[in-house]
Amino acid sequence: MNSDENQDCECAPPQATKPAAAAVDRSPEEPHLDHLEPSRMKRAAAKHLIERYYHQLTEGCGNEACTNEFCASCPSFQRMDNNAAAIKALDLYKINAKLCDPHPSKKGTSSAYLENNSKTALNNLCVDRKMNKREMQAPRDDFKDVNYLTEEKTYEILELCREREDYSPLIRVIGRVFSSAEAMVQSFRKAKQHTKEELKSLQGKDEDKDEDEKEKAACSTTAMDEDSASSSRVGETTQGENNVQKLGPDEVSVDIEAVRRVYSRLLANEKIEPAFLNALVYLSPNVECDLTYHNVYSRDPNYLNLFIIVMENSNLHSPEYLEMALPLFCKAMCKLPLAAQAKLARLWSRYSAEQIRRMMETFQQLITYKVISNDFNSRNLVNDDDAIVAATKCLKIVYYANVLGGEIDTDHNEDDDEEPIPESSELTLQELLGEERRNKKGPRVDPLETELGVKTIDCRKPLIPFEEFINEPLNEVLEMDKDYTFFKVETENKFSFMTCPFILNAVTKNLGLYYDNRIRMYSERRITVLYSLVQGQQLNPYLRLKVRRDHIIDDALVRLEMIAMENPADLKKQLYVEFEGEQGVDEGGVSKEFFQLVVEEIFNPDIGMFAHDETTRLFWFNPSSFETEGQFTLIGIVLGLAIYNNCILDIHFPMVVYRKLMGKKRNFSGPGRLSPSSAPEFKGLARIRGQCGRGYDDHLPDIAY
């Protein structure tokens, strides 16, 4: 503060003030200001001291050897959160507790202003007083009237803050808008494009408006202001209703490109970024409550805008968000109704692979962070962690967006051609015990998959590989026996990761398949015992195969053919293999040896049933084989029994075989993967098919794959 300022300011130090000059320059209002001066100075000094106590409790003085028990730098100090520190600061101010001087290492940091003495407080008070004197000449822009943001308004506030070198107005606006669901829904809207009919109606309204203005010319100015204000409010409400009514099923009203441009400029400033973090913490619980209890999405589909805007934040994966903000947001996001989740998946499917990967990595990092920061075991299950469960459910939306955005092949499904399977007359254990049979129509289908009308098997090439959705740390702590139980019971209180199989690796899935097969074996064993007691049948709880080593293929296939014809349900029993002339109990090792010997014989080139391609190192059906289709069917039964009894076989078939097993019809891309030399021919057939239409398939010869 220079000497001229000291002369104009009456709250400056006494030695810098001239009483005579002050008396001459006083205005008529200054006696009133002098009357308020002592109380304002006391409040400013008290506020300054309380802030010093607060920063001393939260940040410390910087001296690692500090002995002040009320300083965060003291080794014996117990850390507290911000709210507790604020309360404690008030208590310390009341008792006039000791204040530490800032350590030299703290200079230059965010706490450096603590070194200011009471002179600084007085100088600030002088500046405030000058501002009050010139309030009408230089009003302060606090943007309290900004209830939602647009790209232009954001840039306007940002430029103003840059000129003043003070970003607090923008931080307050971001905190107010991004912490309010209503403000987020209205922010960054697309410019509404009117149709020809709407333009004509607007022209008619303008003509009527001109006539009305002539009639209202005699009215008073106050009445005109009230009418214009009310009509503007009605116009905004009508426009919002029109947007809700005319919004397409896969359309959103938010301008995503504008949101990305705004984020790219704002997140580059380190001072502004914490505002998004704090706003998200306040926003998420309110959104979760609205979706859970108030059903807001059904009333306003634009409510989905806030999730789109938040997910465009490229810093969601940073450590600051992983602790609190992102888990709360995931809990709110997984409360979206099924239709809203499907709409998000369709929208995100139009994103690029890099954007899909960014969102996937955001949820994956949250899951990994929560897994490694907690000690999960059989008593503390990972299934009970709300943050991990919510992040997994959100990751499912990204997963299906990845499927929809890839190469989809839905024209070759066999579901429509299959005849309904008649209900079996055989009683099951559940029916004998009076329980209703579960999953009569096959495996469980994900509701989101049904809503989207797409299957994972329909995707030939996703935007990003499916392997990137697997979370290895989660698989290491997952108790698969408990998770399988939750999957079968289907309780709302317990989440099963088997409902999101994309996150599980092959080992974990195989373990789940093992539990499912074992439970089915035990069920068949109990049914057999029950039949033997009720109907007097011979007790045979196992599927017994007695074979000769020299004729292992003939004996096995003949025995399995008889079982498949007489009682196919026996194939669900646990396999028990016995080699003729050898003593031993099959505890699993004999069965594995049996399957290995069978596979070696079946795929032996001398047998001639399968041919091996040296280029792809895959097996394929030998078109010159003399074996009947029944023989190949029995070999399929053998391979199925191996999987059912948890025996891993070294067999390499092309992907088209597994797609056929999953219910896909023939197509022209599979054989090319089997034999690269045949790829051009089948690509030519695919091109002809595309030119002639789908009816061309009826005139094609059957293809043996």
Side-chain angles (χ1 to χ4, degrees), residues 558-587:
V558 169
R559 176 61 178 158
L560 290 175
E561 184 178 9
M562 294 177 59
I563 294 174
M565 293 175 60
E566 295 176 358
N567 190 7
D570 286 349
L571 296 175
K572 297 181 181 180
K573 297 179 181 179
Q574 185 176 354
L575 182 63
Y576 188 93
V577 178
E578 179 182 356
F579 287 102
E580 187 174 346
E582 300 180 12
Q583 295 182 354
V585 179
D586 187 4
E587 295 292 343

Side-chain angles (χ1 to χ4, degrees), residues 35 74 92 95 176 196 205 225 347 387 466 485 492 558 591 624 642 689 692:
H35 178 71
C74 180
L92 295 180
I95 64 176
R176 182 169 63 252
K196 294 181 179 180
K205 289 182 180 179
D225 294 339
L347 172 67
F466 289 135
T485 303
E492 296 181 358
V558 169
S591 297
S624 303
R689 177 186 181 274
C692 298

Side-chain angles (χ1 to χ4, degrees), residues 550-668:
D550 297 338
H551 303 82
I552 189 170
I553 296 294
D554 296 335
D555 294 348
L557 296 184
V558 169
R559 176 61 178 158
L560 290 175
E561 184 178 9
M562 294 177 59
I563 294 174
M565 293 175 60
E566 295 176 358
N567 190 7
D570 286 349
L571 296 175
K572 297 181 181 180
K573 297 179 181 179
Q574 185 176 354
L575 182 63
Y576 188 93
V577 178
E578 179 182 356
F579 287 102
E580 187 174 346
E582 300 180 12
Q583 295 182 354
V585 179
D586 187 4
E587 295 292 343
V590 179
S591 297
K592 291 182 179 180
E593 182 184 5
F594 163 75
F595 285 118
Q596 290 175 357
L597 294 175
V598 169
V599 168
E600 290 178 2
E601 290 290 332
I602 291 175
F603 292 93
N604 190 342
D606 297 336
I607 301 297
M609 297 186 70
F610 294 90
H612 185 262
D613 190 289
E614 296 296 338
T615 304
T616 60
R617 297 182 180 180
L618 300 174
F619 288 99
W620 189 245
F621 304 97
N622 187 359
S624 303
S625 176
F626 294 102
E627 303 294 337
T628 62
E629 292 185 1
Q631 294 293 99
F632 284 99
T633 302
L634 293 175
I635 292 174
I637 294 176
V638 172
L639 299 181
L641 281 176
I643 298 174
Y644 186 65
N645 288 270
N646 198 35
C647 293
I648 301 176
L649 303 177
D650 187 20
I651 302 176
H652 302 277
F653 283 118
M655 188 59 66
V656 66
V657 174
Y658 304 104
R659 292 178 62 83
K660 182 67 175 179
L661 292 174
M662 294 298 295
K664 303 296 291 185
K665 287 184 180 180
R666 63 171 183 260
N667 54 72
F668 301 104

Side-chain angles (χ1 to χ4, degrees), residues 213-249:
E213 287 178 354
K214 294 179 181 179
E215 295 177 359
K216 293 179 180 178
C219 299
S220 62
T221 305
T222 306
M224 290 177 63
D225 294 339
E226 293 176 355
D227 292 340
S228 61
S230 61
S231 59
S232 64
R233 288 193 297 269
V234 172
E236 292 177 358
T237 304
T238 307
Q239 182 180 1
E241 292 176 355
N242 292 337
N243 288 338
V244 173
Q245 293 175 356
K246 297 184 178 180
L247 200 62

Side-chain angles (χ1 to χ4, degrees), residues 18 37 146 384 446 602-603 625 703:
K18 295 181 180 180
E37 192 68 27
V146 177
D384 297 331
D446 190 271
I602 291 175
F603 292 93
S625 176
I703 302 176

Side-chain angles (χ1 to χ4, degrees), residues 34 154 178 202 228 376 403 421 427 441 466 474 502 624 701:
D34 290 340
T154 304
F178 278 76
L202 289 175
S228 61
F376 293 110
V403 171
I421 301 176
L427 294 176
K441 297 182 179 180
F466 289 135
L474 175 66
F502 55 85
S624 303

Side-chain angles (χ1 to χ4, degrees), residues 389-507:
V389 170
T392 305
K393 292 179 179 179
C394 296
L395 185 62
K396 182 196 293 186
I397 303 177
V398 182
Y399 173 78
Y400 280 107
N402 182 51
V403 171
L404 288 173
E407 297 179 7
I408 302 295
D409 177 22
T410 58
D411 297 333
H412 304 94
N413 292 328
E414 296 181 347
D415 297 343
D416 299 335
D417 300 338
E418 293 181 354
E419 297 180 357
I421 301 176
E423 291 291 334
S424 175
S425 59
E426 180 185 0
L427 294 176
T428 63
L429 176 63
Q430 289 79 8
E431 291 173 333
L432 289 172
L433 297 177
E435 299 180 2
E436 185 180 359
R437 186 186 302 181
R438 295 180 180 268
N439 301 328
K440 291 183 178 180
K441 297 182 179 180
R444 189 187 310 175
V445 180
D446 190 271
L448 184 56
E449 183 177 283
T450 304
E451 182 73 17
L452 293 170
V454 67
K455 298 180 180 179
T456 305
I457 190 63
D458 295 336
C459 183
R460 286 193 166 275
K461 185 179 180 181
L463 287 176
I464 60 176
F466 289 135
E467 292 78 9
E468 296 189 22
F469 285 87
I470 299 175
N471 190 289
E472 294 295 344
L474 175 66
N475 284 267
E476 293 176 1
V477 300
L478 181 62
E479 299 289 338
M480 198 58 197
D481 54 344
K482 304 286 196 314
D483 191 86
Y484 176 80
T485 303
F486 301 152
F487 178 74
K488 281 298 185 181
V489 175
E490 298 183 42
T491 59
E492 296 181 358
N493 299 329
K494 292 294 185 179
F495 174 79
S496 172
F497 288 95
M498 291 185 68
T499 58
C500 301
F502 55 85
I503 204 172
L504 306 178
N505 56 25
V507 176

